[in-house]
Amino acid sequence: MRKKPQEIDFGKEAEEHLKAIRSRIGQEVPLSNHYVRGQRPILVSIEGETATLQFPNGAMLLQVPLRDLVDDSGYWKK
């Protein structure tokens, strides 16, 4: 098994991805199909490693781990 190159800064990589997620506050975000299928929720806020999401019908999901904002449908590739 090969080692990762030393020049990769994983902390910086993680921070860049977190900034991308934070820039989506107030917009629809993808959510794992383990939670829901259909309309996407709106990202309301990020608190540490969790997010608060709101669906168009007003339902709220609290403390959703950021790892569950996933790309089940290719959403992040757009």
Side-chain angles (χ1 to χ4, degrees), residues 4-48:
K4 298 281 185 190
Q6 291 182 349
E7 62 270 7
I8 294 176
D9 182 353
F10 290 104
K12 182 179 176 183
E13 290 286 324
E15 185 62 33
E16 288 176 11
H17 289 288
L18 186 56
K19 284 180 186 177
I21 292 172
R22 286 188 191 278
S23 72
R24 306 294 302 184
I25 290 177
Q27 299 177 25
E28 289 183 354
V29 292
L31 185 61
S32 171
N33 287 335
H34 292 289
Y35 284 90
V36 65
R37 293 178 191 222
Q39 291 185 314
R40 289 195 171 110
I42 294 171
L43 179 61
V44 175
S45 66
I46 296 175
E47 306 87 21

